[in-house]
Amino acid sequence: MVAIGQLIDSEPERALEHARYARQRASRIASVREFNGIAAYQLEEWSEALSELRAARRLAGGPGHLAIMADCERAMGRPERALEISRSEDARLLDGEDAVELRIVAAGARRDLGELEASVVSLQIPELDPKRQEPWSARLFYAYADNLLAVGRVQEAFTWFVHAAHADDEGETDAPERLDELVEQLGGPEVADELVNEAAAAGLPPEEEEADESAEAEGGPRDQ
């Protein structure tokens, strides 16, 4: 189990080998099945991941890893089942990052089904606030931008890719690259720069926004 935790990010293949061995030796331990499921998911072994995470939940209970399970269903071409998971009683028990991640997966499932507008609306939740910088913010902003782009709302998509890039301290997304791709569609660098400035202003925390407005009113320089 320790080896799995140490290897899961750097050497996922070896982590999965350890996980499968642990499962052979202790298949009735929920954490063993959970680790096996996560390791399999990392290597896109969708069926194995789903089976192991289901087993972990049967053994331990609780709503754990619903987003991963729903994503496995999507990857196996079953978006309807992904949406069923997102509507389940267990899904209502989620909060914070787990709830947001499941929302993102469910929005992707709606896109798979051709429900493009619904995928946009489903992500319009209180957490979709550029002034909030939570661990999940970059992924949520990015998913919203990507869905806006899918329905042809290019300018709005660009703005939310800006928010995603600003929130993405860990480099989890390719938001900067997506922004570069959209510059020409928007009419060139000048238009893009204007949108970036507007997005930056919209993303200021309340206290910084008030200070910024005060500096403008006094004719003084803005804080950098």
Side-chain angles (χ1 to χ4, degrees), residues 136-158:
W136 59 80
S137 293
R139 296 188 298 279
L140 176 60
F141 299 165
Y142 184 95
Y144 188 58
D146 198 41
N147 283 304
L148 285 168
L149 192 59
V151 297
R153 292 158 64 176
V154 179
Q155 186 168 314
E156 291 174 80
F158 185 90

Side-chain angles (χ1 to χ4, degrees), residues 32-64:
V32 169
R33 306 300 290 272
E34 178 186 14
F35 271 55
N36 193 170
I38 293 171
Y41 179 76
Q42 290 284 87
L43 287 172
E44 301 183 0
E45 298 286 351
W46 312 120
S47 181
E48 180 179 358
L50 185 59
S51 176
E52 292 302 298
L53 292 175
R54 282 174 174 165
R57 294 183 68 239
R58 285 195 300 270
L59 292 168

Side-chain angles (χ1 to χ4, degrees), residues 103-219:
R103 279 271 188 170
I104 293 171
V105 175
R110 292 188 185 281
R111 277 183 65 175
D112 295 341
L113 293 168
E115 301 172 6
L116 302 184
E117 292 290 348
S119 73
V120 172
V121 173
S122 69
L123 293 176
Q124 294 171 350
I125 55 180
E127 290 82 1
L128 189 72
D129 181 350
K131 294 183 174 66
R132 296 180 63 171
Q133 299 293 308
E134 306 288 353
W136 59 80
S137 293
R139 296 188 298 279
L140 176 60
F141 299 165
Y142 184 95
Y144 188 58
D146 198 41
N147 283 304
L148 285 168
L149 192 59
V151 297
R153 292 158 64 176
V154 179
Q155 186 168 314
E156 291 174 80
F158 185 90
T159 296
W160 281 98
F161 279 129
V162 172
H163 293 318
H166 180 256
D168 193 359
D169 294 330
E170 304 298 325
E172 294 179 294
T173 73
D174 65 345
E177 290 79 3
R178 300 297 297 275
L179 288 168
D180 290 341
E181 293 171 1
L182 291 177
V183 169
E184 291 305 318
Q185 291 187 47
L186 290 167
E190 291 185 3
V191 177
D193 287 345
E194 184 177 342
L195 290 173
V196 168
N197 292 333
E198 290 176 1
L204 285 173
E207 62 274 10
E208 292 185 24
E209 188 174 12
E210 291 173 7
D212 199 43
E213 290 173 354
S214 176
E216 280 189 313
E218 295 173 4

